[in-house]
Amino acid sequence: MLSLAAQLRLRLLVLVAVSFCLAAWTLWKGETMRAERDVRALLELNYRDVSRGFTDRADYQLVSIARDIAARFGSSGRLATEDAAKICAEEEVAEIYDVDANGVVVGGSRLVGSYMGAGAQSAEFLRLLEPDGPETLSQPDRPRTSDGKVFKYAAARFPDRSGYIEVGWSEERFLRFLRQRAYGYTRSWHIDERGWIAFVDAGGVVTSHADMSLAGKTLQEATGLDPATVPTGTLFRATIAGAPMFCYAGPVRDYLAVLADPVEDAFASRDRFMPRMAAVLLAVFALLFGCVSLMLRHRVAGSVQRIGEALRRIAGGDFGGRADVRSSREFSELSDNINATVAALRAASEDRVRRIEAELELGRTIQRAALPADFPSDDCFRLAASMEAAREVGGDFYDFFPLGETLRAFLVADVSGKGVTGALYMMNAKTLLKDALMADPAHDPAAALTHANAELCARNPAEMFVTAWVGVLDLETGRVAFANAGHNPPLRLREGAEPEWIRGKSGCPLGCFGGVSYKPLETALAPGDALFLYTDGVTEAMNPAGELFGEARLAATLSAAGSREPRALDVAVHAAVASFAADAPRADDITILALEYLAAPDRRLKTFPCDAAAPAASAAFLEETLDAGGCPPKDKARLLVALDEVVSNVVRCSGASGLAVAVRFAREPRGATVSVSDDGTPFDPLRVPPPDTTLAADDRPIGGLGMLLLRKTMDAVSYRYAHGCNILSFRKDFG
Amino acid sequence: MTTMNIEKKLEGDTLTIALDGRLDTTTSPDLEEVLGASLDAAAALVFDFAKLDYLSSAGLRVLLSAQKRMNAKHGSMKLVHVNDAVKEVFDITGFADFLTVE
């Protein structure tokens, strides 16, 4: 492709060339027409001259005769008829009239005594008698009044007196004169230098020509022109003797005058003038072309190029690029328009990016907000978890929560979808699993998966699924009840042993098939053991070479970590994955949950027979235990009241054979949890509606106040039925 | 074992009962017994809780029953020297609304 400047220059060149040709042609045409006009005028002028000169000579001849006679007879009186006849013969005239001052013929060939004014033709000569009249007069040949014969007359005044001599030629004499004149009449008549005039008689024979050798030949022979068809009164071209000629023909009396001028001569000035003119034109047009093309390159093509560069930058994504070409109003407007468009584009693009970012951020916020961040750490167990989201919102989640005093639920899951939809599905799955685990009195992970799966399958328009590993750790025993819905197997870490995969599977991922049951599985942790859960973002992290991080590297990393402290494990694995993946883009969320089982709860436990002595005996045990545990007196009083309420209820209502009181202290926040177990009739006292405390004394029923006190004074109260026992627990944080 | 000492003093028709210890499931029957024996003679009943550590709902039952009996014979009943722990229980249960606590 040619550049715009080159294209413009090419077009300009064509334009200038065409203009030049047009101008040159117009000039040529104009010059030609002017030359033709000139030659036509020249030929017409010559025709008129030759035409007039042909008969003028006859007038001159006849007037000369009249003047001679007038001079000869001016003073001698009347011209006698005999003398007139003699003179007529001498001078070859037909008639002579001697006219006196009164216009009366006083002598001459005939009509002596008659008055000249009687006939119209002869009356014209009376003007010679007027004082300021002409000296001589002649008439063209014409029929005379008296007998209609054609005559030609001329007259001359007497030089010394009034009156005149009139002489006349008969037609025959006049024609003879003309015949003689026609021969060689134009022999020395040249038009310009080489033009000529041919005289042709009625028989088509040339009588006169610049080249008299042609005289006597027919016009056809001499010039190739046919006198019968030759156009008259107009300019025409003909090739005569091999030379192109401008010709003009016209009648002169009975003759035909043919005038010719070589075309070459007629166009001589044009042909001389044109090359010089063309050279000047060429110079002018070349100059014009040079100036305009220079201007084009600087003003137009240069501007277009700069606009083009700006647009290329903008198209390349540089929305900061500006077009700023101010070489003319048009380019200035164009620049402004481009800048305005780019500004609008930039605003729209930024707005779109902002909205996408906002939606991604919303998804991340949902995801993050759903993940608990206050990791428990006490004497029995500690836990750490993390979720590193990929650039897009992922669907990983983890969760952990206590189930009563001694059970700790924890889980890791991976939703198949991403984005806000994935995040919402994850919220749903997480809530379902937690609710199911909490609602189930046995806190069975497999049952929770079965329940959550049924719910997820019932309403799964997005056809998503979620893999999950759910475990419940019993702090008392270290047993972990778990269920695995298609999730990666976790690792158990133990002092002095290689990491061990816990590979049991309970069923397919949640959300795939409704109505399936998940198999309950179990493993055990000894004090000091850790459990490491993760999502496939860890094992499927890819390095730039396309290799996966894999289970072997994970096990090696955990083995080399040198610690089973959950936070340290979490950090070590994240670091190993990051170092392995280097700068390869992260495809998936990386989620980790690690927990370490430290020891069974530090607590005191005492059993009592279920009888009237139980309240006092259990209160004594609690007081002693709380005193040993450093419980403030005020909180001790509240805990003792609470115990009194619970134990008195058990003794009064449960029908149990015995009861157990367990006390466990917590470090952070400092506090004590008391659990009362009995083997009596299953009954949840927390379900009893609280009494109306606004009634007056006389209307007050007795009862229900104990549970009210329990709820109001304790920081947490819970009931469960497990292993054939009612277990009521209440916790008081030391204030 | 939890115990409570009950000190009973009758001046004119005003019966003053001072409690020392805890008023709970174990001890409230003792107070109930004392009241049952001596309340008929009193037009005004005063509980001195200066030495009472705490009370449970069992104790509340006894106090409510005493209040009802005093109301029935248009007598008066008031509680003096009540500590914070006990006051808290009264507040929670709404007993503060009808008991006269000084």
Short mmCIF file of all heavy atoms in Angstrom, two decimals, chain A residues 692-702 705, chain B residues 59-71 75-79 89-102:
data_model
loop_
_atom_site.label_atom_id
_atom_site.label_comp_id
_atom_site.label_asym_id
_atom_site.label_seq_id
_atom_site.Cartn_x
_atom_site.Cartn_y
_atom_site.Cartn_z
N ASP A 692 -43.72 -16.12 83.40
CA ASP A 692 -44.01 -14.69 83.31
C ASP A 692 -43.51 -14.05 84.60
O ASP A 692 -44.05 -14.28 85.67
CB ASP A 692 -45.52 -14.52 83.15
CG ASP A 692 -45.86 -13.06 82.92
OD1 ASP A 692 -44.97 -12.20 83.09
OD2 ASP A 692 -47.02 -12.79 82.56
N THR A 693 -42.51 -13.21 84.44
CA THR A 693 -41.90 -12.63 85.65
C THR A 693 -42.53 -11.31 86.03
O THR A 693 -42.04 -10.58 86.88
CB THR A 693 -40.40 -12.42 85.44
OG1 THR A 693 -40.23 -11.59 84.29
CG2 THR A 693 -39.67 -13.73 85.24
N THR A 694 -43.62 -10.96 85.38
CA THR A 694 -44.23 -9.66 85.68
C THR A 694 -45.45 -9.81 86.59
O THR A 694 -46.06 -8.81 86.96
CB THR A 694 -44.67 -8.97 84.39
OG1 THR A 694 -45.62 -9.80 83.74
CG2 THR A 694 -43.49 -8.72 83.45
N LEU A 695 -45.80 -11.06 86.93
CA LEU A 695 -47.01 -11.24 87.74
C LEU A 695 -46.77 -10.83 89.21
O LEU A 695 -45.63 -10.86 89.69
CB LEU A 695 -47.43 -12.71 87.69
CG LEU A 695 -47.87 -13.23 86.31
CD1 LEU A 695 -48.15 -14.73 86.37
CD2 LEU A 695 -49.11 -12.46 85.84
N ALA A 696 -47.88 -10.50 89.89
CA ALA A 696 -47.78 -10.13 91.31
C ALA A 696 -47.55 -11.40 92.13
O ALA A 696 -47.74 -12.51 91.64
CB ALA A 696 -49.06 -9.43 91.75
N ALA A 697 -47.14 -11.25 93.35
CA ALA A 697 -46.76 -12.37 94.21
C ALA A 697 -47.87 -13.41 94.32
O ALA A 697 -47.63 -14.60 94.21
CB ALA A 697 -46.39 -11.86 95.60
N ASP A 698 -49.12 -12.94 94.52
CA ASP A 698 -50.21 -13.87 94.75
C ASP A 698 -50.53 -14.71 93.53
O ASP A 698 -51.10 -15.78 93.63
CB ASP A 698 -51.47 -13.09 95.17
CG ASP A 698 -51.25 -12.46 96.55
OD1 ASP A 698 -50.37 -12.98 97.29
OD2 ASP A 698 -51.92 -11.47 96.86
N ASP A 699 -50.17 -14.18 92.31
CA ASP A 699 -50.50 -14.90 91.08
C ASP A 699 -49.35 -15.76 90.60
O ASP A 699 -49.48 -16.47 89.60
CB ASP A 699 -50.86 -13.91 89.96
CG ASP A 699 -51.99 -13.00 90.40
OD1 ASP A 699 -52.88 -13.51 91.11
OD2 ASP A 699 -51.98 -11.80 90.04
N ARG A 700 -48.19 -15.68 91.31
CA ARG A 700 -47.01 -16.39 90.82
C ARG A 700 -47.12 -17.88 91.02
O ARG A 700 -47.30 -18.34 92.15
CB ARG A 700 -45.75 -15.90 91.58
CG ARG A 700 -45.16 -14.64 91.02
CD ARG A 700 -44.67 -14.89 89.61
NE ARG A 700 -44.05 -13.68 89.09
CZ ARG A 700 -42.73 -13.51 89.03
NH1 ARG A 700 -41.92 -14.44 89.45
NH2 ARG A 700 -42.26 -12.41 88.53
N PRO A 701 -46.98 -18.68 89.93
CA PRO A 701 -46.84 -20.11 90.15
C PRO A 701 -45.41 -20.39 90.62
O PRO A 701 -44.51 -19.60 90.36
CB PRO A 701 -47.09 -20.71 88.78
CG PRO A 701 -46.65 -19.65 87.84
CD PRO A 701 -46.86 -18.32 88.53
N ILE A 702 -45.25 -21.48 91.26
CA ILE A 702 -43.91 -21.86 91.67
C ILE A 702 -43.34 -22.75 90.58
O ILE A 702 -44.02 -23.63 90.07
CB ILE A 702 -43.96 -22.60 93.03
CG1 ILE A 702 -44.36 -21.61 94.14
CG2 ILE A 702 -42.62 -23.24 93.35
CD1 ILE A 702 -43.42 -20.46 94.35
N LEU A 705 -38.52 -21.04 87.49
CA LEU A 705 -37.60 -19.94 87.79
C LEU A 705 -36.14 -20.38 87.73
O LEU A 705 -35.26 -19.61 87.38
CB LEU A 705 -37.92 -19.36 89.17
CG LEU A 705 -39.20 -18.54 89.24
CD1 LEU A 705 -39.47 -18.15 90.70
CD2 LEU A 705 -39.10 -17.31 88.36
N GLY B 59 -35.08 -21.12 97.42
CA GLY B 59 -35.22 -20.04 98.39
C GLY B 59 -36.29 -19.06 97.96
O GLY B 59 -37.07 -18.57 98.77
N LEU B 60 -36.37 -18.82 96.68
CA LEU B 60 -37.38 -17.90 96.19
C LEU B 60 -38.77 -18.43 96.51
O LEU B 60 -39.68 -17.66 96.84
CB LEU B 60 -37.24 -17.71 94.67
CG LEU B 60 -36.00 -16.94 94.20
CD1 LEU B 60 -35.94 -16.95 92.67
CD2 LEU B 60 -36.03 -15.50 94.71
N ARG B 61 -38.92 -19.73 96.33
CA ARG B 61 -40.22 -20.34 96.63
C ARG B 61 -40.65 -20.04 98.05
O ARG B 61 -41.79 -19.69 98.32
CB ARG B 61 -40.13 -21.86 96.43
CG ARG B 61 -40.48 -22.31 95.02
CD ARG B 61 -40.44 -23.84 94.93
NE ARG B 61 -41.26 -24.45 95.95
CZ ARG B 61 -40.94 -25.54 96.65
NH1 ARG B 61 -39.78 -26.12 96.47
NH2 ARG B 61 -41.76 -26.04 97.57
N VAL B 62 -39.70 -20.16 98.98
CA VAL B 62 -40.01 -19.92 100.39
C VAL B 62 -40.40 -18.45 100.59
O VAL B 62 -41.36 -18.13 101.28
CB VAL B 62 -38.82 -20.31 101.28
CG1 VAL B 62 -39.15 -20.03 102.75
CG2 VAL B 62 -38.47 -21.77 101.10
N LEU B 63 -39.61 -17.56 99.96
CA LEU B 63 -39.90 -16.13 100.12
C LEU B 63 -41.26 -15.79 99.53
O LEU B 63 -42.02 -15.03 100.11
CB LEU B 63 -38.82 -15.30 99.41
CG LEU B 63 -37.43 -15.33 100.07
CD1 LEU B 63 -36.50 -14.39 99.31
CD2 LEU B 63 -37.50 -14.92 101.53
N LEU B 64 -41.55 -16.41 98.37
CA LEU B 64 -42.85 -16.13 97.73
C LEU B 64 -44.00 -16.60 98.63
O LEU B 64 -44.99 -15.90 98.82
CB LEU B 64 -42.90 -16.81 96.36
CG LEU B 64 -44.22 -16.66 95.60
CD1 LEU B 64 -44.49 -15.19 95.25
CD2 LEU B 64 -44.21 -17.49 94.32
N SER B 65 -43.82 -17.78 99.18
CA SER B 65 -44.86 -18.34 100.05
C SER B 65 -45.07 -17.46 101.27
O SER B 65 -46.19 -17.20 101.70
CB SER B 65 -44.45 -19.77 100.40
OG SER B 65 -44.81 -20.10 101.69
N ALA B 66 -43.97 -16.95 101.86
CA ALA B 66 -44.06 -16.06 103.03
C ALA B 66 -44.78 -14.77 102.66
O ALA B 66 -45.64 -14.29 103.38
CB ALA B 66 -42.66 -15.75 103.54
N GLN B 67 -44.43 -14.25 101.46
CA GLN B 67 -45.06 -13.00 101.03
C GLN B 67 -46.57 -13.18 100.88
O GLN B 67 -47.35 -12.33 101.30
CB GLN B 67 -44.46 -12.57 99.69
CG GLN B 67 -45.00 -11.23 99.18
CD GLN B 67 -44.46 -10.04 99.97
OE1 GLN B 67 -43.26 -9.85 100.09
NE2 GLN B 67 -45.38 -9.27 100.57
N LYS B 68 -46.95 -14.34 100.32
CA LYS B 68 -48.38 -14.59 100.12
C LYS B 68 -49.12 -14.68 101.45
O LYS B 68 -50.22 -14.14 101.60
CB LYS B 68 -48.58 -15.90 99.35
CG LYS B 68 -48.34 -15.74 97.84
CD LYS B 68 -48.55 -17.07 97.14
CE LYS B 68 -48.42 -16.91 95.63
NZ LYS B 68 -48.52 -18.22 94.95
N ARG B 69 -48.45 -15.36 102.39
CA ARG B 69 -49.10 -15.50 103.71
C ARG B 69 -49.23 -14.14 104.39
O ARG B 69 -50.25 -13.84 105.00
CB ARG B 69 -48.32 -16.47 104.59
CG ARG B 69 -48.60 -17.94 104.20
CD ARG B 69 -47.70 -18.91 104.93
NE ARG B 69 -47.94 -18.92 106.36
CZ ARG B 69 -47.17 -19.58 107.24
NH1 ARG B 69 -46.12 -20.25 106.82
NH2 ARG B 69 -47.44 -19.55 108.54
N MET B 70 -48.22 -13.30 104.32
CA MET B 70 -48.28 -11.98 104.94
C MET B 70 -49.33 -11.13 104.24
O MET B 70 -50.06 -10.40 104.89
CB MET B 70 -46.90 -11.27 104.86
CG MET B 70 -45.81 -11.90 105.70
SD MET B 70 -46.29 -12.22 107.42
CE MET B 70 -46.37 -10.56 108.08
N ASN B 71 -49.38 -11.28 102.91
CA ASN B 71 -50.40 -10.53 102.17
C ASN B 71 -51.80 -10.94 102.64
O ASN B 71 -52.68 -10.09 102.81
CB ASN B 71 -50.29 -10.79 100.66
CG ASN B 71 -49.09 -10.08 100.05
OD1 ASN B 71 -48.41 -9.31 100.75
ND2 ASN B 71 -48.85 -10.34 98.77
N GLY B 75 -50.38 -8.32 106.67
CA GLY B 75 -49.17 -7.98 107.41
C GLY B 75 -48.15 -7.37 106.45
O GLY B 75 -48.42 -7.17 105.26
N SER B 76 -46.98 -7.07 106.99
CA SER B 76 -45.94 -6.51 106.12
C SER B 76 -44.73 -7.43 106.14
O SER B 76 -44.53 -8.20 107.06
CB SER B 76 -45.54 -5.11 106.61
OG SER B 76 -44.73 -5.24 107.78
N MET B 77 -43.98 -7.35 105.01
CA MET B 77 -42.76 -8.15 104.92
C MET B 77 -41.70 -7.32 104.22
O MET B 77 -41.97 -6.67 103.20
CB MET B 77 -43.04 -9.43 104.11
CG MET B 77 -41.80 -10.23 103.81
SD MET B 77 -42.27 -11.81 103.03
CE MET B 77 -40.96 -11.98 101.85
N LYS B 78 -40.49 -7.30 104.81
CA LYS B 78 -39.42 -6.57 104.12
C LYS B 78 -38.07 -7.28 104.27
O LYS B 78 -37.92 -8.11 105.16
CB LYS B 78 -39.34 -5.13 104.60
CG LYS B 78 -38.87 -4.94 106.02
CD LYS B 78 -38.78 -3.43 106.34
CE LYS B 78 -38.32 -3.22 107.79
NZ LYS B 78 -38.24 -1.79 108.09
N LEU B 79 -37.17 -6.98 103.35
CA LEU B 79 -35.85 -7.62 103.34
C LEU B 79 -34.80 -6.54 103.52
O LEU B 79 -34.87 -5.50 102.84
CB LEU B 79 -35.61 -8.35 102.02
CG LEU B 79 -36.51 -9.57 101.72
CD1 LEU B 79 -37.87 -9.14 101.20
CD2 LEU B 79 -35.81 -10.48 100.72
N VAL B 89 -30.62 -11.97 91.58
CA VAL B 89 -31.63 -13.03 91.42
C VAL B 89 -33.03 -12.42 91.47
O VAL B 89 -33.89 -12.78 90.67
CB VAL B 89 -31.44 -14.11 92.52
CG1 VAL B 89 -32.61 -15.09 92.50
CG2 VAL B 89 -30.12 -14.83 92.33
N PHE B 90 -33.24 -11.50 92.37
CA PHE B 90 -34.55 -10.83 92.46
C PHE B 90 -34.89 -10.11 91.15
O PHE B 90 -36.01 -10.16 90.67
CB PHE B 90 -34.56 -9.82 93.61
CG PHE B 90 -34.59 -10.46 94.98
CD1 PHE B 90 -34.20 -9.74 96.10
CD2 PHE B 90 -35.02 -11.78 95.13
CE1 PHE B 90 -34.23 -10.32 97.36
CE2 PHE B 90 -35.04 -12.37 96.40
CZ PHE B 90 -34.64 -11.64 97.52
N ASP B 91 -33.87 -9.45 90.61
CA ASP B 91 -34.10 -8.68 89.38
C ASP B 91 -34.46 -9.60 88.22
O ASP B 91 -35.39 -9.33 87.47
CB ASP B 91 -32.85 -7.88 89.01
CG ASP B 91 -32.68 -6.68 89.94
OD1 ASP B 91 -33.71 -6.27 90.52
OD2 ASP B 91 -31.56 -6.18 90.08
N ILE B 92 -33.68 -10.71 88.10
CA ILE B 92 -33.90 -11.61 86.97
C ILE B 92 -35.30 -12.22 87.02
O ILE B 92 -35.98 -12.35 86.02
CB ILE B 92 -32.83 -12.73 86.97
CG1 ILE B 92 -31.45 -12.12 86.61
CG2 ILE B 92 -33.19 -13.84 86.01
CD1 ILE B 92 -30.30 -13.08 86.86
N THR B 93 -35.70 -12.56 88.20
CA THR B 93 -36.95 -13.31 88.32
C THR B 93 -38.17 -12.42 88.45
O THR B 93 -39.30 -12.90 88.48
CB THR B 93 -36.90 -14.21 89.57
OG1 THR B 93 -36.57 -13.38 90.70
CG2 THR B 93 -35.84 -15.29 89.41
N GLY B 94 -37.95 -11.12 88.57
CA GLY B 94 -39.09 -10.20 88.70
C GLY B 94 -39.56 -10.08 90.14
O GLY B 94 -40.53 -9.39 90.42
N PHE B 95 -38.87 -10.78 91.12
CA PHE B 95 -39.28 -10.71 92.53
C PHE B 95 -39.07 -9.30 93.09
O PHE B 95 -39.74 -8.89 94.02
CB PHE B 95 -38.50 -11.74 93.36
CG PHE B 95 -39.14 -13.09 93.40
CD1 PHE B 95 -39.60 -13.69 92.22
CD2 PHE B 95 -39.31 -13.77 94.61
CE1 PHE B 95 -40.19 -14.93 92.26
CE2 PHE B 95 -39.93 -15.02 94.64
CZ PHE B 95 -40.37 -15.60 93.47
N ALA B 96 -38.15 -8.57 92.47
CA ALA B 96 -37.87 -7.21 92.92
C ALA B 96 -39.12 -6.34 92.81
O ALA B 96 -39.25 -5.34 93.49
CB ALA B 96 -36.73 -6.61 92.11
N ASP B 97 -40.04 -6.76 91.95
CA ASP B 97 -41.24 -5.95 91.72
C ASP B 97 -42.20 -5.99 92.92
O ASP B 97 -42.92 -5.03 93.18
CB ASP B 97 -41.99 -6.42 90.48
CG ASP B 97 -41.16 -6.22 89.22
OD1 ASP B 97 -40.19 -5.44 89.30
OD2 ASP B 97 -41.49 -6.83 88.20
N PHE B 98 -42.24 -7.12 93.58
CA PHE B 98 -43.22 -7.18 94.68
C PHE B 98 -42.59 -7.32 96.07
O PHE B 98 -43.27 -7.13 97.06
CB PHE B 98 -44.26 -8.29 94.43
CG PHE B 98 -43.67 -9.66 94.24
CD1 PHE B 98 -43.28 -10.43 95.33
CD2 PHE B 98 -43.53 -10.20 92.96
CE1 PHE B 98 -42.77 -11.70 95.13
CE2 PHE B 98 -43.02 -11.45 92.77
CZ PHE B 98 -42.63 -12.23 93.87
N LEU B 99 -41.33 -7.67 96.12
CA LEU B 99 -40.68 -7.73 97.43
C LEU B 99 -40.31 -6.32 97.89
O LEU B 99 -40.00 -5.47 97.06
CB LEU B 99 -39.41 -8.59 97.36
CG LEU B 99 -39.61 -10.09 97.15
CD1 LEU B 99 -38.25 -10.79 97.07
CD2 LEU B 99 -40.43 -10.69 98.28
N THR B 100 -40.36 -6.11 99.19
CA THR B 100 -39.92 -4.82 99.72
C THR B 100 -38.48 -4.99 100.19
O THR B 100 -38.21 -5.70 101.16
CB THR B 100 -40.80 -4.39 100.90
OG1 THR B 100 -42.15 -4.45 100.46
CG2 THR B 100 -40.49 -2.97 101.32
N VAL B 101 -37.58 -4.43 99.45
CA VAL B 101 -36.15 -4.59 99.75
C VAL B 101 -35.60 -3.27 100.24
O VAL B 101 -35.80 -2.24 99.59
CB VAL B 101 -35.38 -5.05 98.49
CG1 VAL B 101 -33.90 -5.20 98.82
CG2 VAL B 101 -35.94 -6.36 97.98
N GLU B 102 -34.95 -3.28 101.40
CA GLU B 102 -34.39 -2.02 101.92
C GLU B 102 -32.88 -2.08 101.96
O GLU B 102 -32.32 -3.13 102.20
CB GLU B 102 -34.93 -1.76 103.32
CG GLU B 102 -36.37 -1.26 103.28
CD GLU B 102 -36.87 -0.84 104.66
OE1 GLU B 102 -36.15 -1.08 105.65
OE2 GLU B 102 -37.99 -0.29 104.72
#
